[in-house]
Amino acid sequence: MGENLYLFMTVALGILAISDLVVGVSNDAVNFLNSALGSKAVPFRTIMFVASIGIAFGAMSSSGLMEVARKGIFNPSEFVFAEIMIIFMAVMITDVLILDFFNTLGMPTSTTVSIVFELLGAAVAVTLIKMSGAGEDLMEMGTYINTAKATEIILGILLSVLIAFSIGAIVQSVARIFLTFDFHKKPSWKASLFGGLAITAIVYFILIKGLKSANLFDGALLDFVGQQTGLFLIANAVFWSAVSWGLIRAFKINVYKLVIIFGTFALAMAFAGNDLVNFIGVPLAGYESFKAFMANPGADPGSFLM
């Protein structure tokens, strides 16, 4: 009966993962598509097509982030299988409800923030119950909660807000000074240089930050890019500036649309590589826990330490 219960919980985690993907993607699609759609420079279908390819690449290149669900917030060795499954079930149910509530109100929220604090809240709640039953002092909570890693993750979230605001303001200011608001009357070399630098920055983050852990490309290529970063950036800036100039002069193509398309792809890939793990990381961790439990026939879920 006990095994059937936890099998049911594992299946429920999988179903909740699908629900979380639906409400999560509908929430985060606003975050990474609003700039491209708001510009009205590129057709809707083109943006959705590019974003779909970006999500596929991001999903294939994501790795390692599931560790946050498994041991980034709490120390699994201090919890038994039954407690772990309760934590994961609470996290997934809460995440679906919260994201659906925010979507209903039209308020996008961070899936990373929600999943991290849901894991922290569920782990703390189970820890308090566990400590109360054992008569332990609250000062011992650090034994169960991975306070160092949890603090690092929370500070990283807060720091990312500050960095995003600062870098966004700087890039926007430089772009406005360089182009001014009357960009149609500016010489083509300015648009070419802007397009070259923008696309170079996007390509750099796709290759170095996005695909460094993936097996989609030859390792030698990524090693070369990592070792000769300066040369790679200069070569890319020259190449993409020349391509932009040729597109403007020969085909009268608006290079800013090209930047939007590249940016949409990069944002969609970054979303899939990071946030999709938020939705499936917890169910996968629950599945791994269930497999470890089933690998020990006769084990008691109330005493089987993870």
Side-chain angles (χ1 to χ4, degrees):
M1 178 61 183
E3 292 181 359
N4 292 335
L5 171 63
Y6 294 108
L7 175 61
F8 171 78
M9 293 178 72
T10 304
V11 173
L13 285 174
I15 296 173
L16 287 170
I18 297 173
S19 301
D20 210 23
L21 278 169
V22 173
V23 296
V25 171
S26 62
N27 173 83
D28 282 9
V30 178
N31 297 336
F32 70 85
L33 290 180
N34 60 355
S35 297
L37 293 174
S39 69
K40 297 187 182 299
V42 181
F44 177 80
R45 289 185 178 180
T46 303
I47 292 176
M48 296 305 294
F49 177 74
V50 171
S52 299
I53 298 176
I55 289 176
F57 268 84
M60 290 186 288
S61 64
S62 63
S63 64
L65 291 173
M66 196 180 74
E67 298 304 307
V68 173
R70 295 203 297 186
K71 59 185 180 181
I73 302 298
F74 53 84
N75 298 316
S77 59
E78 300 295 330
F79 293 89
V80 298
F81 174 64
E83 294 166 340
I84 288 292
M85 293 302 287
I86 290 173
I87 290 174
F88 289 155
M89 283 294 294
V91 169
M92 290 306 297
I93 293 172
T94 304
D95 201 52
V96 172
L97 292 175
I98 286 181
L99 291 180
D100 187 57
F101 175 74
F102 272 83
N103 287 346
T104 302
L105 297 179
M107 298 168 55
T109 184
S110 170
T111 53
T112 303
V113 172
S114 62
I115 206 75
V116 165
F117 281 94
E118 286 156 6
L119 278 166
L120 182 60
V124 168
V126 172
T127 298
L128 290 175
I129 296 173
K130 187 181 180 74
M131 293 174 64
S132 175
E136 296 179 332
D137 188 83
L138 287 177
M139 298 300 294
E140 300 296 323
M141 184 173 289
T143 305
Y144 301 93
I145 304 300
N146 190 351
T147 53
K149 187 64 176 179
T151 302
E152 178 184 329
I153 293 172
I154 294 171
L155 290 177
I157 291 171
L158 296 176
L159 185 61
S160 68
V161 176
L162 178 62
I163 292 175
F165 174 82
S166 303
I167 299 299
I170 292 172
V171 171
Q172 177 75 351
S173 300
V174 171
R176 285 303 187 187
I177 292 172
F178 184 70
L179 297 173
T180 75
F181 293 92
D182 194 9
F183 62 90
H184 287 295
K185 296 183 179 179
K186 292 299 171 184
S188 58
W189 70 265
K190 280 196 172 185
S192 304
L193 182 60
F194 178 84
L197 294 177
I199 296 174
T200 297
I202 293 170
V203 169
Y204 169 76
F205 280 105
I206 289 175
L207 288 179
I208 301 300
K209 303 302 180 184
L211 298 178
K212 64 179 179 181
S213 59
N215 296 320
L216 300 177
F217 294 95
D218 184 11
L221 172 62
L222 297 181
D223 289 341
F224 170 77
V225 174
Q227 296 170 3
Q228 303 291 337
T229 304
L231 178 62
F232 172 79
L233 291 176
I234 294 173
N236 261 269
V238 173
F239 173 76
W240 288 112
S241 295
V243 170
S244 299
W245 186 84
L247 292 174
I248 294 171
R249 301 292 293 182
F251 302 101
K252 307 298 180 183
I253 292 177
N254 187 341
V255 72
Y256 304 111
K257 293 183 179 181
L258 191 63
V259 173
I260 291 173
I261 291 174
F262 268 86
T264 300
F265 174 84
L267 281 172
M269 197 184 85
F271 154 76
N274 178 75
D275 285 6
L276 283 186
V277 182
N278 295 337
F279 309 132
I280 65 174
V282 170
L284 286 177
Y287 175 63
E288 293 290 334
S289 302
F290 179 74
K291 287 201 303 183
F293 173 70
M294 293 301 294
N296 293 268
D300 179 15
S303 59
F304 181 69
L305 291 172
M306 302 308 297

Coordinates of all heavy atoms in Angstrom, one line a residue, residues 97-176:
L97 N -0.6 26.9 -8.4 CA -1.7 27.8 -8.0 C -1.2 29.2 -8.0 O -1.9 30.1 -8.5 CB -2.1 27.4 -6.5 CG -2.8 26.1 -6.3 CD1 -3.1 25.8 -4.8 CD2 -4.1 26.1 -7.1
I98 N 0.0 29.5 -7.6 CA 0.6 30.9 -7.6 C 0.7 31.4 -9.0 O 0.3 32.5 -9.3 CB 1.9 30.9 -6.9 CG1 1.7 30.8 -5.4 CG2 2.6 32.2 -7.2 CD1 3.0 30.9 -4.6
L99 N 1.3 30.6 -9.9 CA 1.5 31.1 -11.3 C 0.1 31.3 -12.0 O 0.0 32.3 -12.7 CB 2.3 30.1 -12.1 CG 3.8 30.0 -11.7 CD1 4.5 29.0 -12.5 CD2 4.5 31.3 -11.8
D100 N -0.8 30.4 -11.8 CA -2.1 30.5 -12.4 C -2.8 31.8 -11.8 O -3.5 32.5 -12.6 CB -3.0 29.3 -12.1 CG -4.3 29.3 -12.8 OD1 -4.3 29.4 -14.1 OD2 -5.4 29.3 -12.2
F101 N -2.7 32.1 -10.5 CA -3.3 33.2 -9.9 C -2.7 34.5 -10.5 O -3.4 35.4 -10.9 CB -3.0 33.2 -8.4 CG -3.5 34.5 -7.7 CD1 -4.8 34.7 -7.5 CD2 -2.6 35.4 -7.2 CE1 -5.3 35.8 -6.8 CE2 -3.0 36.5 -6.6 CZ -4.4 36.7 -6.3
F102 N -1.3 34.6 -10.7 CA -0.7 35.7 -11.3 C -1.1 35.9 -12.7 O -1.3 37.0 -13.2 CB 0.8 35.6 -11.1 CG 1.3 36.2 -9.8 CD1 1.3 35.4 -8.7 CD2 1.8 37.5 -9.8 CE1 1.8 35.9 -7.5 CE2 2.3 38.0 -8.6 CZ 2.3 37.2 -7.5
N103 N -1.2 34.8 -13.5 CA -1.6 34.8 -14.9 C -3.0 35.4 -15.0 O -3.4 36.2 -15.9 CB -1.6 33.5 -15.5 CG -0.1 33.0 -15.8 OD1 0.8 33.8 -15.8 ND2 0.1 31.8 -16.1
T104 N -3.9 34.9 -14.1 CA -5.3 35.4 -14.1 C -5.4 36.9 -13.9 O -6.2 37.6 -14.5 CB -6.1 34.7 -13.0 OG1 -6.0 33.3 -13.2 CG2 -7.6 35.1 -13.0
L105 N -4.5 37.5 -13.0 CA -4.5 38.9 -12.8 C -3.7 39.7 -13.8 O -3.6 40.9 -13.8 CB -3.9 39.2 -11.4 CG -4.7 38.6 -10.2 CD1 -4.0 39.0 -8.9 CD2 -6.1 39.2 -10.2
G106 N -3.0 38.9 -14.7 CA -2.2 39.6 -15.8 C -0.9 40.1 -15.2 O -0.4 41.1 -15.7
M107 N -0.4 39.5 -14.1 CA 0.8 40.0 -13.5 C 1.9 39.0 -13.6 O 1.9 37.9 -13.0 CB 0.6 40.3 -12.0 CG -0.5 41.3 -11.7 SD -1.0 41.3 -10.0 CE 0.6 41.5 -9.2
P108 N 2.9 39.2 -14.5 CA 4.0 38.2 -14.7 C 4.9 38.2 -13.4 O 5.1 39.3 -12.8 CB 4.8 38.8 -15.9 CG 4.4 40.2 -15.9 CD 3.0 40.3 -15.5
T109 N 5.3 37.0 -13.0 CA 6.2 36.9 -11.9 C 7.4 36.0 -12.2 O 7.4 35.4 -13.3 CB 5.4 36.3 -10.7 OG1 6.3 36.2 -9.5 CG2 5.0 34.9 -11.0
S110 N 8.4 36.0 -11.4 CA 9.6 35.2 -11.6 C 9.3 33.8 -11.2 O 9.1 33.5 -10.0 CB 10.8 35.8 -10.9 OG 11.9 34.9 -11.0
T111 N 9.5 32.8 -12.1 CA 9.3 31.4 -11.8 C 10.5 30.9 -10.9 O 10.3 30.1 -10.1 CB 9.2 30.6 -13.0 OG1 10.4 30.8 -13.9 CG2 8.0 30.9 -13.8
T112 N 11.7 31.5 -11.1 CA 12.8 31.2 -10.3 C 12.6 31.5 -8.8 O 12.8 30.8 -7.9 CB 14.1 31.8 -10.8 OG1 14.3 31.5 -12.2 CG2 15.3 31.4 -10.0
V113 N 12.1 32.8 -8.6 CA 11.8 33.2 -7.3 C 10.8 32.4 -6.6 O 10.9 31.9 -5.5 CB 11.4 34.7 -7.3 CG1 10.9 35.1 -5.9 CG2 12.5 35.6 -7.7
S114 N 9.7 32.1 -7.3 CA 8.6 31.3 -6.8 C 9.1 29.9 -6.4 O 8.8 29.4 -5.3 CB 7.4 31.2 -7.7 OG 7.8 30.6 -8.9
I115 N 9.8 29.2 -7.3 CA 10.2 27.8 -7.0 C 11.2 27.8 -5.8 O 11.2 26.9 -5.0 CB 10.8 27.1 -8.2 CG1 10.6 25.6 -8.1 CG2 12.2 27.4 -8.4 CD1 9.2 25.2 -8.4
V116 N 12.1 28.7 -5.8 CA 13.1 28.7 -4.7 C 12.5 29.0 -3.3 O 12.8 28.2 -2.4 CB 14.2 29.8 -5.0 CG1 15.0 30.1 -3.7 CG2 15.1 29.4 -6.1
F117 N 11.6 29.9 -3.3 CA 11.0 30.2 -2.0 C 9.9 29.2 -1.6 O 9.7 29.0 -0.4 CB 10.4 31.6 -2.0 CG 11.4 32.7 -1.8 CD1 12.0 33.3 -2.9 CD2 11.9 33.1 -0.5 CE1 13.0 34.3 -2.7 CE2 12.8 34.0 -0.3 CZ 13.4 34.7 -1.4
E118 N 9.3 28.5 -2.6 CA 8.4 27.4 -2.3 C 9.2 26.2 -1.7 O 8.8 25.6 -0.7 CB 7.7 27.0 -3.5 CG 6.6 28.0 -3.9 CD 6.3 27.9 -5.4 OE1 6.8 27.0 -6.1 OE2 5.5 28.7 -5.9
L119 N 10.4 25.9 -2.3 CA 11.2 24.9 -1.7 C 11.7 25.2 -0.3 O 11.7 24.4 0.6 CB 12.4 24.7 -2.6 CG 12.3 23.8 -3.9 CD1 13.4 24.0 -4.8 CD2 12.1 22.3 -3.5
L120 N 12.1 26.5 -0.1 CA 12.5 26.9 1.2 C 11.4 26.9 2.2 O 11.6 26.3 3.3 CB 13.1 28.3 1.1 CG 13.6 28.9 2.4 CD1 14.8 28.1 2.9 CD2 14.1 30.4 2.2
G121 N 10.2 27.3 1.8 CA 9.1 27.3 2.8 C 8.6 25.9 3.1 O 8.4 25.6 4.3
A122 N 8.5 25.0 2.1 CA 8.1 23.6 2.4 C 9.2 22.9 3.2 O 8.8 22.2 4.2 CB 7.9 22.9 1.1
A123 N 10.4 23.1 2.9 CA 11.5 22.5 3.7 C 11.5 23.0 5.2 O 11.7 22.2 6.1 CB 12.9 22.7 3.0
V124 N 11.3 24.3 5.4 CA 11.3 24.8 6.7 C 10.1 24.3 7.5 O 10.2 23.9 8.7 CB 11.3 26.4 6.7 CG1 11.0 26.9 8.1 CG2 12.6 26.9 6.2
A125 N 8.9 24.2 6.8 CA 7.7 23.7 7.5 C 7.9 22.2 8.0 O 7.6 21.9 9.1 CB 6.5 23.8 6.6
V126 N 8.4 21.4 7.0 CA 8.7 20.0 7.4 C 9.7 19.9 8.5 O 9.7 19.0 9.4 CB 9.1 19.2 6.1 CG1 9.5 17.8 6.5 CG2 7.9 19.1 5.2
T127 N 10.8 20.7 8.4 CA 11.8 20.7 9.4 C 11.3 21.1 10.8 O 11.7 20.5 11.8 CB 12.9 21.7 9.0 OG1 13.5 21.3 7.8 CG2 14.0 21.8 10.1
L128 N 10.4 22.1 10.9 CA 9.9 22.5 12.1 C 9.0 21.3 12.8 O 9.1 21.1 14.0 CB 9.0 23.7 12.0 CG 9.7 25.0 11.7 CD1 8.7 26.2 11.4 CD2 10.7 25.4 12.8
I129 N 8.3 20.7 11.9 CA 7.5 19.5 12.4 C 8.4 18.4 12.9 O 8.2 17.8 13.9 CB 6.6 19.0 11.3 CG1 5.5 20.1 10.9 CG2 5.9 17.7 11.7 CD1 4.7 19.7 9.7
K130 N 9.5 18.2 12.1 CA 10.4 17.1 12.4 C 11.2 17.4 13.7 O 11.3 16.6 14.6 CB 11.4 17.0 11.2 CG 12.4 15.8 11.3 CD 13.3 15.9 10.1 CE 14.3 14.8 10.1 NZ 13.7 13.5 9.8
M131 N 11.6 18.7 13.9 CA 12.3 19.1 15.1 C 11.4 19.1 16.3 O 11.9 18.7 17.4 CB 13.0 20.5 14.9 CG 14.0 20.5 13.8 SD 14.6 22.1 13.4 CE 15.4 22.6 15.0
S132 N 10.2 19.5 16.1 CA 9.2 19.5 17.2 C 9.0 18.1 17.8 O 9.0 17.8 19.0 CB 7.9 20.1 16.8 OG 6.9 20.0 17.8
G133 N 8.9 17.1 16.8 CA 8.7 15.7 17.3 C 9.9 15.1 17.9 O 9.7 14.3 18.8
A134 N 11.1 15.6 17.5 CA 12.3 15.1 18.1 C 12.8 15.9 19.3 O 13.7 15.5 20.0 CB 13.4 15.1 17.1
G135 N 12.0 17.0 19.7 CA 12.4 17.8 20.8 C 13.7 18.6 20.6 O 14.4 18.9 21.6
E136 N 14.0 18.9 19.4 CA 15.3 19.6 19.1 C 15.1 21.1 19.2 O 14.0 21.6 19.1 CB 15.8 19.3 17.7 CG 16.2 17.8 17.5 CD 16.6 17.5 16.1 OE1 16.2 18.2 15.2 OE2 17.4 16.6 16.0
D137 N 16.2 21.8 19.4 CA 16.1 23.3 19.5 C 16.1 23.9 18.1 O 16.7 23.3 17.2 CB 17.4 23.8 20.3 CG 17.3 25.3 20.6 OD1 16.6 25.6 21.6 OD2 17.9 26.0 19.8
L138 N 15.5 25.1 18.0 CA 15.4 25.8 16.7 C 16.8 26.1 16.1 O 16.9 26.3 14.9 CB 14.6 27.0 16.8 CG 13.0 26.8 17.0 CD1 12.4 28.1 17.2 CD2 12.5 26.1 15.8
M139 N 17.8 26.2 17.0 CA 19.1 26.6 16.6 C 19.7 25.5 15.7 O 20.7 25.7 15.0 CB 20.0 26.8 17.8 CG 19.6 28.0 18.6 SD 19.5 29.6 17.7 CE 21.2 29.8 17.4
E140 N 19.1 24.3 15.7 CA 19.6 23.2 15.0 C 19.1 23.1 13.5 O 19.4 22.2 12.8 CB 19.3 21.8 15.7 CG 19.8 21.7 17.1 CD 21.3 21.6 17.1 OE1 21.9 21.0 16.1 OE2 22.0 22.2 18.0
M141 N 18.3 24.1 13.2 CA 17.7 24.2 11.9 C 18.7 24.2 10.7 O 18.5 23.6 9.6 CB 16.7 25.3 11.7 CG 16.0 25.4 10.4 SD 14.7 26.7 10.3 CE 13.5 26.0 11.4
G142 N 19.9 24.8 11.0 CA 20.9 24.8 10.0 C 21.4 23.4 9.6 O 22.0 23.2 8.5
T143 N 21.1 22.4 10.4 CA 21.5 21.0 10.1 C 20.6 20.5 8.9 O 21.1 19.7 8.0 CB 21.3 20.1 11.3 OG1 22.0 20.6 12.4 CG2 21.8 18.7 10.9
Y144 N 19.4 21.0 8.8 CA 18.4 20.5 7.8 C 18.4 21.4 6.6 O 18.2 20.9 5.5 CB 17.0 20.4 8.4 CG 17.0 19.5 9.6 CD1 17.1 19.9 10.9 CD2 16.7 18.1 9.5 CE1 17.0 19.1 12.0 CE2 16.7 17.2 10.5 CZ 16.8 17.7 11.8 OH 16.7 16.9 12.9
I145 N 18.5 22.7 6.8 CA 18.4 23.7 5.7 C 19.8 24.0 5.3 O 20.7 24.4 6.1 CB 17.6 24.9 6.1 CG1 16.2 24.5 6.7 CG2 17.5 25.9 5.0 CD1 15.4 23.8 5.7
N146 N 20.0 24.0 4.0 CA 21.3 24.4 3.4 C 21.4 25.9 3.3 O 21.2 26.5 2.3 CB 21.4 23.8 2.0 CG 22.8 23.9 1.4 OD1 23.7 24.6 2.0 ND2 23.1 23.3 0.3
T147 N 21.6 26.5 4.5 CA 21.5 28.0 4.6 C 22.5 28.7 3.7 O 22.2 29.7 3.2 CB 21.7 28.4 6.1 OG1 23.0 27.8 6.6 CG2 20.6 27.9 7.0
A148 N 23.7 28.1 3.6 CA 24.7 28.8 2.8 C 24.3 28.9 1.3 O 24.4 30.0 0.7 CB 26.1 28.1 2.9
K149 N 23.8 27.8 0.8 CA 23.4 27.7 -0.6 C 22.1 28.5 -0.8 O 22.0 29.3 -1.8 CB 23.2 26.3 -1.1 CG 22.9 26.1 -2.6 CD 24.1 26.6 -3.4 CE 23.9 26.4 -4.9 NZ 25.0 26.8 -5.7
A150 N 21.2 28.4 0.1 CA 19.9 29.2 0.0 C 20.2 30.7 0.0 O 19.6 31.4 -0.8 CB 19.0 28.8 1.1
T151 N 21.1 31.1 0.9 CA 21.5 32.5 1.0 C 22.1 33.0 -0.3 O 21.8 34.1 -0.8 CB 22.4 32.8 2.2 OG1 21.8 32.4 3.4 CG2 22.7 34.3 2.3
E152 N 23.0 32.1 -0.9 CA 23.7 32.5 -2.1 C 22.7 32.6 -3.3 O 22.8 33.6 -4.1 CB 24.7 31.4 -2.4 CG 25.4 31.6 -3.8 CD 26.3 30.4 -4.1 OE1 26.8 29.7 -3.2 OE2 26.5 30.1 -5.3
I153 N 21.7 31.7 -3.3 CA 20.6 31.8 -4.4 C 19.8 33.1 -4.2 O 19.5 33.8 -5.2 CB 19.8 30.5 -4.3 CG1 20.6 29.3 -4.7 CG2 18.6 30.7 -5.3 CD1 19.8 28.0 -4.5
I154 N 19.4 33.4 -3.0 CA 18.5 34.5 -2.8 C 19.3 35.8 -3.1 O 18.8 36.7 -3.7 CB 18.0 34.5 -1.3 CG1 17.1 33.4 -1.1 CG2 17.3 35.9 -1.0 CD1 16.7 33.1 0.4
L155 N 20.6 35.9 -2.6 CA 21.4 37.1 -3.0 C 21.6 37.2 -4.5 O 21.6 38.3 -5.0 CB 22.7 37.0 -2.2 CG 22.7 37.2 -0.7 CD1 24.1 37.0 -0.1 CD2 22.1 38.6 -0.3
G156 N 21.7 36.1 -5.1 CA 21.9 36.1 -6.6 C 20.7 36.6 -7.3 O 20.8 37.4 -8.3
I157 N 19.5 36.3 -6.8 CA 18.2 36.8 -7.3 C 18.2 38.3 -7.2 O 17.8 39.0 -8.1 CB 17.0 36.1 -6.7 CG1 17.0 34.6 -7.1 CG2 15.7 36.8 -7.0 CD1 16.0 33.8 -6.3
L158 N 18.5 38.8 -6.0 CA 18.4 40.2 -5.7 C 19.5 41.0 -6.5 O 19.2 42.0 -7.1 CB 18.7 40.5 -4.2 CG 17.6 39.9 -3.2 CD1 18.0 40.2 -1.8 CD2 16.2 40.6 -3.5
L159 N 20.7 40.4 -6.6 CA 21.7 41.0 -7.4 C 21.4 41.1 -8.9 O 21.7 42.0 -9.6 CB 23.0 40.2 -7.2 CG 24.3 40.8 -7.9 CD1 24.6 42.2 -7.3 CD2 25.5 39.9 -7.6
S160 N 20.7 40.0 -9.4 CA 20.3 40.0 -10.8 C 19.4 41.2 -11.2 O 19.4 41.7 -12.3 CB 19.7 38.7 -11.2 OG 18.4 38.6 -10.5
V161 N 18.5 41.5 -10.2 CA 17.6 42.7 -10.4 C 18.4 44.0 -10.6 O 18.2 44.8 -11.5 CB 16.6 42.8 -9.3 CG1 15.8 44.1 -9.5 CG2 15.7 41.6 -9.2
L162 N 19.4 44.2 -9.7 CA 20.3 45.4 -9.8 C 21.1 45.4 -11.1 O 21.2 46.4 -11.7 CB 21.2 45.4 -8.5 CG 22.2 46.6 -8.5 CD1 21.4 47.9 -8.4 CD2 23.1 46.4 -7.2
I163 N 21.7 44.2 -11.4 CA 22.5 44.2 -12.6 C 21.6 44.4 -13.9 O 22.0 45.2 -14.8 CB 23.2 42.8 -12.7 CG1 24.2 42.7 -11.6 CG2 23.8 42.6 -14.1 CD1 24.9 41.3 -11.6
A164 N 20.5 43.8 -13.9 CA 19.6 44.0 -15.1 C 19.2 45.5 -15.2 O 19.2 46.0 -16.4 CB 18.3 43.1 -14.9
F165 N 18.9 46.1 -14.1 CA 18.5 47.5 -14.2 C 19.7 48.4 -14.7 O 19.5 49.3 -15.5 CB 18.0 48.0 -12.8 CG 17.8 49.5 -12.7 CD1 16.6 50.0 -13.2 CD2 18.7 50.4 -12.2 CE1 16.3 51.4 -13.1 CE2 18.5 51.7 -12.2 CZ 17.3 52.2 -12.6
S166 N 20.8 48.2 -14.1 CA 22.0 49.0 -14.4 C 22.5 48.8 -15.8 O 22.7 49.8 -16.6 CB 23.2 48.6 -13.4 OG 22.8 48.8 -12.1
I167 N 22.6 47.5 -16.3 CA 23.1 47.3 -17.6 C 22.1 47.8 -18.6 O 22.4 48.3 -19.7 CB 23.4 45.8 -17.8 CG1 24.5 45.3 -16.9 CG2 23.8 45.5 -19.3 CD1 25.8 46.0 -17.1
G168 N 20.8 47.5 -18.3 CA 19.7 48.0 -19.3 C 19.8 49.5 -19.4 O 19.6 50.0 -20.6
A169 N 20.0 50.2 -18.3 CA 20.0 51.7 -18.4 C 21.3 52.2 -19.2 O 21.2 53.1 -20.0 CB 20.1 52.3 -17.0
I170 N 22.4 51.5 -19.0 CA 23.6 51.9 -19.7 C 23.5 51.6 -21.2 O 23.8 52.5 -22.0 CB 24.8 51.1 -19.1 CG1 25.1 51.6 -17.7 CG2 26.1 51.3 -20.0 CD1 26.1 50.8 -16.9
V171 N 23.1 50.4 -21.6 CA 22.9 50.1 -23.0 C 21.9 51.0 -23.7 O 22.2 51.5 -24.8 CB 22.5 48.6 -23.1 CG1 22.2 48.3 -24.6 CG2 23.6 47.7 -22.6
Q172 N 20.8 51.3 -23.0 CA 19.8 52.2 -23.6 C 20.4 53.6 -23.8 O 20.2 54.2 -24.8 CB 18.6 52.2 -22.7 CG 17.5 53.2 -23.1 CD 16.7 52.6 -24.3 OE1 17.1 51.6 -24.9 NE2 15.6 53.3 -24.7
S173 N 21.1 54.1 -22.8 CA 21.7 55.4 -22.9 C 22.7 55.5 -24.0 O 22.7 56.5 -24.8 CB 22.4 55.8 -21.6 OG 21.4 55.8 -20.5
V174 N 23.6 54.5 -24.1 CA 24.6 54.5 -25.2 C 24.0 54.4 -26.6 O 24.4 55.1 -27.5 CB 25.6 53.3 -25.0 CG1 26.5 53.2 -26.2 CG2 26.4 53.5 -23.7
A175 N 22.9 53.5 -26.7 CA 22.3 53.4 -28.0 C 21.6 54.7 -28.4 O 21.6 55.1 -29.6 CB 21.2 52.3 -27.9
R176 N 21.0 55.4 -27.4 CA 20.3 56.7 -27.8 C 21.3 57.7 -28.2 O 21.0 58.5 -29.1 CB 19.4 57.1 -26.6 CG 18.2 56.3 -26.4 CD 17.3 56.4 -27.6 NE 16.0 55.7 -27.4 CZ 15.1 55.5 -28.4 NH1 15.4 55.8 -29.6 NH2 13.9 55.0 -28.1

